[in-house]
Amino acid sequence: MTFDHLFEAQLDTLREGGNYRVFADLKRQKGSFPKAQNHFEGGQREVTVWCSNDYLGMGQHPAVLQAMHDTLEECGAGAGGTRNISGTNHHHVKLERELADLHGKEDALLFTSGYVSNWAALGTLGSRLENCIIFSDALNHASMIEGMRHSRAKKVIWNHNDVADLEAKLAAADPDAPKIVAFESVYSMDGDIAPIEAICDVAEKYGAMTYLDEVHGVGLYGEQGGGVAEREGVADRVSVIEGTLGKAFGVMGGYITGSRSMCDFIRSFSSGFIFTTALPPAVAAGALASIKHLRSSSMERMRQRKQVAQLRKRLDEVGIPHLENPSHIVPVMIGDAAKCKMISDVLLDECGVYVQPINYPTVPEGTERLRFTPSPLHSDADIEHLVQSLSRLWSQCALSRAVA
């Protein structure tokens, strides 16, 4: 039996709906972020990247690069195995200590990505705590949803950022069952921010653990880059803070922080930790250098906020609507998958602007968008070029009616 025709049939459905994803062939250029070389059939061109999750450009920072170079010379390339079998390197230990201190927790545990850390931690907590109920925000990330599904624990979905709905569902649950309230700080597609303090109030009232995904908050918020929970002064009230090293910290990896017992529990029972090769030591060293820098420097965060405000201001001035939110994410809503991809293609091919279309299943059908993430390294000229390019396309496509 051949299966390719079955694969192609479903791929054709994606193409017809405008949801088929095409990867741009990009080469990041050291020292030139957000510029990159876009390779295509017949040549290459310089483009400005407007959708990177390297939010502060730390993937290009000299301190990060030097730490990685030094550790590569010191330790070689790979970790040599899982953490249990020869793979625990001293750079992992130092990074975990730094992460625990960043979030004011007793301990931390590294994973190979933020996706894996959510999947492994929630999957293990939900499966090993007998009769556990996980209360999940309706817009939680796919990695959190997969972890809950993997755990086979009972899941109760509460309306997005609706603390009253969360309390009603907690009140209706078995009072003796272990409970986990799982939510994010910054929601990456709409850019809204959770009411963390109010969620903690309700969770504590009903004896529930709190599990906070800070992947779009760490490095960006708080005096030391500890995330929204640090900024709001409530990190000590959150049971588990999960984060990533691959966004604002500019490298790769994920982690959880919390009590020593909880981290040891996940370390000892999670297959997603036990059976995975450890991060390369050079990656851990680069992440450590990035965290240390951002704990002492606010310049990158301040510059980023300035450029976010500038982009929003210019979009308003030319009449391009964007979702208002208190974060660093600027979503420009299109509402049509095919049109969203078309605009993205023209921006890349004719204007040297790279922004990936965001469509289903990342966002619901009908809410397709372009998601812009200004960094401290985007210049005022970059912003002006983007806005003028987008404005021309907006007029040509009569998009004002489509998103009104």
Side-chain angles (χ1 to χ4, degrees):
M1 182 177 183
T2 60
F3 290 88
D4 283 354
H5 70 286
L6 300 177
F7 303 148
E8 288 297 333
Q10 295 194 39
L11 290 170
D12 286 343
T13 300
L14 282 180
R15 294 185 184 99
E16 290 163 8
N19 291 316
Y20 182 75
R21 301 181 182 200
V22 177
F23 295 158
D25 183 350
L26 301 175
K27 184 190 290 184
R28 283 162 64 100
Q29 298 173 285
K30 176 185 173 184
S32 298
F33 183 81
K35 307 299 181 184
Q37 285 296 316
N38 171 216
H39 294 257
F40 57 94
E41 187 174 351
Q44 59 181 297
R45 60 194 158 210
E46 185 178 77
V47 299
T48 303
V49 178
W50 272 103
C51 54
S52 175
N53 284 342
D54 186 359
Y55 291 131
L56 300 177
M58 291 302 295
Q60 302 286 317
H61 196 280
V64 175
L65 300 184
Q66 191 61 55
M68 296 185 75
H69 280 296
D70 291 347
T71 307
L72 189 63
E73 291 297 324
E74 175 190 17
C75 299
T82 68
R83 292 287 296 276
N84 296 295
I85 304 177
S86 81
T88 295
N89 187 281
H90 187 54
H91 292 284
H92 299 132
V93 176
K94 290 196 295 183
L95 177 54
E96 287 173 338
R97 288 172 181 165
E98 187 74 20
L99 288 164
D101 189 63
L102 173 67
H103 293 293
K105 301 299 184 186
E106 291 180 346
D107 208 352
L109 191 66
L110 286 172
F111 294 85
T112 50
S113 72
Y115 191 104
V116 173
S117 55
N118 270 333
W119 174 82
L122 282 169
T124 303
L125 290 168
S127 64
R128 302 289 304 193
L129 297 176
E130 189 174 359
N131 299 319
C132 180
I133 306 172
I134 304 177
F135 295 80
S136 175
D137 184 284
L139 294 188
N140 275 339
H141 189 264
S143 58
M144 302 174 78
I145 294 168
E146 283 298 320
M148 297 174 215
R149 183 180 294 132
H150 177 71
S151 77
R152 299 186 179 179
K154 181 179 179 181
K155 182 175 73 170
V156 176
I157 299 174
W158 48 286
N159 295 335
H160 176 55
N161 279 348
D162 186 339
V163 180
D165 188 53
L166 170 61
E167 179 161 18
K169 288 179 165 64
L170 283 166
D174 179 355
D176 297 323
K179 302 173 186 66
I180 302 171
V181 176
F183 61 107
E184 301 180 41
S185 60
V186 180
Y187 287 84
S188 64
M189 290 299 114
D190 288 352
D192 55 336
I193 294 178
I196 300 175
E197 183 175 15
I199 292 171
C200 287
D201 289 342
V202 171
E204 290 166 3
K205 180 178 178 180
Y206 293 91
M209 286 179 60
T210 42
Y211 184 103
L212 175 61
D213 177 320
E214 279 266 33
V215 298
H216 294 277
V218 291
L220 298 166
Y221 301 94
E223 186 176 343
Q224 298 185 76
V228 180
E230 184 204 359
R231 185 188 70 179
E232 303 298 321
V234 294
D236 61 312
R237 298 178 61 189
V238 178
S239 309
V240 184
I241 296 178
E242 182 266 351
T244 183
L245 306 170
K247 292 183 171 61
F249 293 133
V251 192
M252 178 187 175
Y255 63 90
I256 59 169
T257 65
S259 70
R260 187 165 289 108
S261 294
M262 188 279 299
C263 290
D264 197 21
F265 180 80
I266 302 299
R267 182 188 70 87
S268 299
F269 291 110
S270 171
S271 62
F273 177 83
I274 295 169
F275 298 107
T276 301
T277 299
L279 286 173
V283 171
L288 178 61
S290 181
I291 294 165
K292 283 180 173 291
H293 175 82
L294 290 175
R295 292 188 75 175
S296 61
S297 171
S298 61
M299 182 272 290
E300 290 83 4
R301 289 186 283 274
M302 295 301 102
R303 169 73 177 171
Q304 185 209 36
R305 289 168 198 169
K306 175 179 177 293
Q307 296 310 85
V308 169
Q310 174 69 3
L311 176 57
R312 289 188 181 279
K313 175 176 178 288
R314 290 294 294 122
L315 290 173
D316 287 339
E317 288 172 350
V318 299
I320 296 177
H322 51 94
L323 281 184
E324 292 292 342
N325 63 54
S327 76
H328 58 283
I329 294 164
V330 183
V332 171
M333 306 301 288
I334 307 300
D336 179 274
K339 194 168 286 187
C340 194
K341 177 154 191 333
M342 180 272 291
I343 294 171
S344 171
D345 288 345
V346 174
L347 285 172
L348 180 64
D349 295 341
E350 299 182 9
C351 307
V353 168
Y354 174 63
V355 57
Q356 184 75 358
I358 305 295
N359 52 26
Y360 180 83
T362 306
V363 295
E365 292 180 344
T367 68
E368 293 82 6
R369 66 200 65 186
L370 301 174
R371 175 184 177 273
F372 296 98
T373 54
S375 79
L377 300 178
H378 283 92
S379 68
D380 291 348
D382 291 332
I383 292 175
E384 192 60 29
H385 177 66
L386 167 65
V387 171
Q388 292 299 328
S389 300
L390 195 55
S391 181
R392 287 194 300 273
L393 280 171
W394 209 262
S395 300
Q396 293 168 15
C397 298
L399 282 168
S400 57
R401 291 190 296 274
V403 299

